[in-house]
Amino acid sequence: VQLQASGGGLVQAGGSLRLSCAASGSTVSSYTIGWHRQAPGKQRELVASIRSGGQTEYKDSVKGRFTVSRDNAKNMVYLQMNNLKPDDTAVYYCNIGEYRGIYYYPGRSWGQGTQVTVSS
C-alpha cells in the first residue's frame, strides 16, 4: 500500500488546515493509519491514529485541536487541524502501522510528507 500526504501550507496561529492521506493498492479501512510529524532537529512523532475499527488516539498536545477521520468510499484518511500553534510546524506524514498493546509501531513506508508552517 502506498500512502501520500498532502494539504499542508502556511497558516497563522489559530488557523486551520486539513491534511489528506491518499492510499493506493489497498483499502485504508483495513489498516491502522498514523499521522506523524517531524520538526527540524527533532525526532518524528506520532500525533494521531485511526484503527481499522475506527478507534482514534491522539498525542496529548493535540487533543481537542486535531481530528483524524477516514472516508472509506474515497479511500482517504484526513487530519483536521484547528487552533494551530507555531509548535505544530513540521513535515507531516501518514503511515500504516500497528498497535501492540498500547504501543504504536510505524511501518517502513513513509512516502513524501507535507509541510505545515504555523506563523506566530
Side-chain angles (χ1 to χ4, degrees):
V1 181
Q2 301 265 348
L3 300 180
Q4 181 64 52
S6 62
L10 173 63
V11 64
Q12 288 188 330
S16 298
L17 283 173
R18 188 177 80 156
L19 305 184
S20 299
C21 178
S24 60
S26 189
T27 54
V28 292
S29 60
S30 299
Y31 301 96
T32 294
I33 304 294
W35 279 101
H36 306 252
R37 66 187 181 190
Q38 187 167 20
K42 295 186 178 181
Q43 286 190 331
R44 192 173 294 174
E45 61 180 3
L46 177 69
V47 295
S49 64
I50 183 166
R51 305 193 195 208
S52 56
Q55 182 181 359
T56 57
E57 283 90 13
Y58 299 92
K59 179 180 174 63
D60 284 347
S61 63
V62 307
K63 283 181 182 177
R65 301 189 297 122
F66 289 14
T67 303
V68 59
S69 62
R70 187 175 64 211
D71 187 329
N72 293 339
K74 295 182 178 179
N75 209 29
M76 298 281 288
V77 175
Y78 303 100
L79 184 68
Q80 177 67 43
M81 306 185 296
N82 298 327
N83 190 22
L84 282 160
K85 304 177 180 181
D87 283 349
D88 296 318
T89 295
V91 179
Y92 284 71
Y93 303 86
C94 54
N95 170 273
I96 291 175
E98 64 175 333
Y99 277 96
R100 301 173 197 168
I102 63 171
Y103 298 104
Y104 178 91
Y105 292 84
R108 295 181 180 179
S109 178
W110 287 98
Q112 196 169 5
T114 186
Q115 176 71 48
V116 172
T117 303
V118 184
S119 63
S120 57

